[in-house]
Amino acid sequence: MPNDSYQINEQQRGSREMSFIIYPAIDIRGGKCVRLLQGDYNQETVYGDSPTEMAKQWASQGAEWIHLVDLDGAKAGQPMNDEIVLEIARTLDVPVQIGGGLRRMEDIDRYIEGGVSRIILGTAAIQDQPFTERVLDAYGDKVAIGIDARDGYVATHGWLETSEVTAEQLAKVLIAKGAETFIYTDISRDGTLEGPNTEAIVQLARATGKNVIASGGVSVEQDLLELAQYAGDGVGGAIVGKALYTERVNLPQALKRIREDV
């Protein structure tokens, strides 16, 4: 159960819209569906040859959104698996979000026009804020800011570099530019199945007053139920990868429990 240090009362809980979405994660590298350990490109596990078929599988099990990451794009600084992403967006009846290498407006335009429901800015959000502001002006709630943190500091370039900016500092600057949704990843938890950093996620949601999607570390259904208790604080969902692929979390069952509890 959640730690008492960040319990909230029912009045506080009711002050924010309460919804919690499970986002199955599909990380694409070399055209395949893979998972990395703590963002390490040398520690890769392949879970499928077709990201599109994997997306269809999660959608058929009740997923309300699909989370896509172009790992090659994140490393290269430009989309590298864009045809696969657009195929998934065209094929599925559920919305998809994509991150990885989005640093040019023409790439973002192509994704949105091609049916992608939300794009995720990561490195660009910290290194090119004028660009980020233009994207937010153009697409508003179709934009999420991916805040990937190592020891509380924002990591960039596919997690290969760490900045001197804290997650909360970056979020507050971007809120002033119109950001409404953040995806918070604790890199130390990603792919480890050690449980999410719930305290940091809740703190970011409270500090920003915006929608924060948790990413990294979900290992069992109870992790999702714990995070969902903070939907009223602004924790709007969780991205789940390895726990789904290793069948530690059953998606239909987890969705049913969340809907009953939230």
Side-chain angles (χ1 to χ4, degrees):
M1 293 301 292
N3 189 299
D4 289 341
S5 65
Y6 39 99
Q7 290 279 9
I8 59 176
N9 62 42
E10 292 304 316
Q11 184 176 1
Q12 289 173 304
R13 190 181 299 282
S15 67
R16 301 280 291 277
E17 180 183 352
M18 292 184 63
S19 62
F20 188 88
I21 296 170
I22 299 174
Y23 296 77
I26 298 177
D27 292 359
I28 308 168
R29 188 181 186 201
K32 299 177 186 282
C33 177
V34 309
R35 297 299 294 169
L36 304 182
L37 178 63
Q38 296 182 346
D40 187 343
Y41 283 70
N42 294 316
Q43 298 192 62
E44 173 189 274
T45 302
V46 177
Y47 284 107
D49 291 331
S50 173
T52 301
E53 290 305 311
M54 191 65 72
K56 289 179 181 178
Q57 174 184 317
W58 297 134
S60 72
Q61 292 184 21
E64 299 169 281
W65 275 80
I66 301 293
H67 174 79
L68 305 174
V69 179
D70 182 349
L71 290 173
D72 297 307
K75 198 169 185 179
Q78 64 183 38
M80 300 295 290
N81 292 285
D82 44 322
E83 293 299 335
I84 294 173
V85 171
L86 290 168
E87 179 185 35
I88 293 171
R90 288 192 301 265
T91 302
L92 264 61
D93 291 329
V94 299
V96 302
Q97 61 185 23
I98 173 66
L102 292 177
R103 301 175 198 171
R104 300 185 305 179
M105 186 62 81
E106 54 263 41
D107 294 326
I108 291 170
D109 291 339
R110 183 165 179 249
Y111 274 149
I112 296 295
E113 291 166 6
V116 171
S117 296
R118 183 188 289 151
I119 61 95
I120 304 163
L121 297 182
T123 297
I126 188 170
Q127 292 200 328
D128 191 348
Q129 290 193 14
F131 167 73
T132 303
E133 190 170 353
R134 290 199 304 275
V135 176
L136 287 166
D137 285 343
Y139 291 112
D141 61 4
K142 293 181 180 293
V143 181
I145 305 298
I147 299 183
D148 304 331
R150 181 182 285 112
D151 298 324
Y153 289 87
V154 177
T156 62
H157 296 89
W159 298 352
L160 300 178
E161 299 178 18
T162 303
S163 73
E164 297 181 354
V165 178
T166 69
E168 188 173 323
Q169 287 171 337
L170 176 61
K172 288 183 174 179
V173 167
L174 293 171
I175 286 168
K177 307 297 184 184
E180 292 290 333
T181 298
F182 296 93
I183 297 173
Y184 180 84
T185 303
D186 184 330
I187 295 172
S188 69
R189 306 293 183 101
D190 187 72
T192 65
L193 298 175
E194 293 179 355
N197 187 344
T198 304
E199 186 169 5
I201 295 158
V202 174
Q203 286 176 349
L204 184 64
R206 287 178 169 171
T208 61
K210 300 299 181 182
N211 180 40
V212 175
I213 300 168
S215 177
V218 169
S219 61
V220 292
E221 185 178 289
Q222 185 58 39
D223 292 334
L224 293 168
L225 295 174
E226 177 177 324
L227 286 166
Q229 297 307 305
Y230 298 97
D233 264 353
V235 179
I239 293 165
V240 188
K242 190 173 182 179
L244 287 174
Y245 292 101
T246 57
E247 300 182 347
R248 292 171 64 110
V249 170
N250 177 280
L251 181 59
Q253 178 178 304
L255 288 166
K256 183 175 184 292
R257 291 286 304 279
I258 293 295
R259 289 164 185 157
E260 290 172 348
D261 290 1
V262 174

